[in-house]
Amino acid sequence: ALALEAGSACFATELEGRLANDTGLRGAIDYEKGCFVGQEVASRIENRSRPSTQLVGLSPVRCPDRGDTVSLPDGDEIGEVTRAIESPTLGHPIAMAAVDAGTASADETVTVEVEEGHTDADVATLPFVEGSDRSGRIPTYTGE
């Protein structure tokens, strides 16, 4: 709960199978290190400054499940929920979602397909709860 409230990406839900560039964790890649697995792809994304996905925070009306589809109001699917909880600090549901880059920004409303049908969710600025300092694990993207 604390990691999600802090807007921190977790390996099992947001990072596994994704490139660091696509999760907003550009600082996790050392471009001066030399050769490493995936370096060519990560460098190509960095040089073109166009990640294919990004992590966003959501404030949904109802708590979704991991894997629930996130769509724009017109019905276009843009991603999926990676994690969601009833926030003990805020007293309402919060979630993170991996969405197509550039499709959802703060203060927009998206739709999340939940078991009961669908629920509206506001795209939120991370972190959900401010701490004493900004975590290096909060996703940031080129141009932010």
Side-chain angles (χ1 to χ4, degrees):
L2 292 175
L4 184 53
E5 288 179 344
S8 294
C10 291
F11 180 76
T13 54
E14 285 86 27
L15 304 177
E16 186 173 21
R18 293 186 174 96
L19 292 169
N21 311 62
D22 284 345
T23 57
L25 298 175
R26 182 189 175 281
I29 300 173
D30 182 357
Y31 294 97
E32 305 298 317
K33 176 181 176 184
C35 294
F36 57 89
V37 175
Q39 178 184 20
E40 182 179 338
V41 175
S43 293
R44 194 174 305 144
I45 291 170
E46 179 68 17
N47 292 332
R48 292 184 182 166
S49 190
R50 285 184 260 162
S52 59
T53 61
Q54 69 183 65
L55 295 176
V56 296
L58 300 177
S59 291
V61 175
R62 287 182 286 193
C63 196
D65 292 322
R66 181 178 179 190
D68 285 351
T69 302
V70 178
S71 303
L72 294 173
D74 65 7
D76 288 345
E77 292 182 8
I78 59 170
E80 69 178 20
V81 173
T82 58
R83 225 176 350 151
I85 60 164
E86 286 284 340
S87 170
T89 304
L90 300 174
H92 61 78
I94 58 173
M96 281 185 88
V99 299
D100 297 337
T103 57
S105 56
D107 300 323
E108 290 184 341
T109 301
V110 294
T111 301
V112 180
E113 299 299 322
V114 294
E115 192 173 298
E116 304 84 26
H118 69 276
T119 187
D120 288 338
D122 293 327
V123 179
T125 303
L126 296 174
F128 292 102
V129 176
E130 281 294 333
S132 60
D133 196 9
R134 183 167 173 85
S135 170
R137 293 176 57 194
I138 295 174
T140 56
Y141 298 90
T142 304
E144 274 190 5

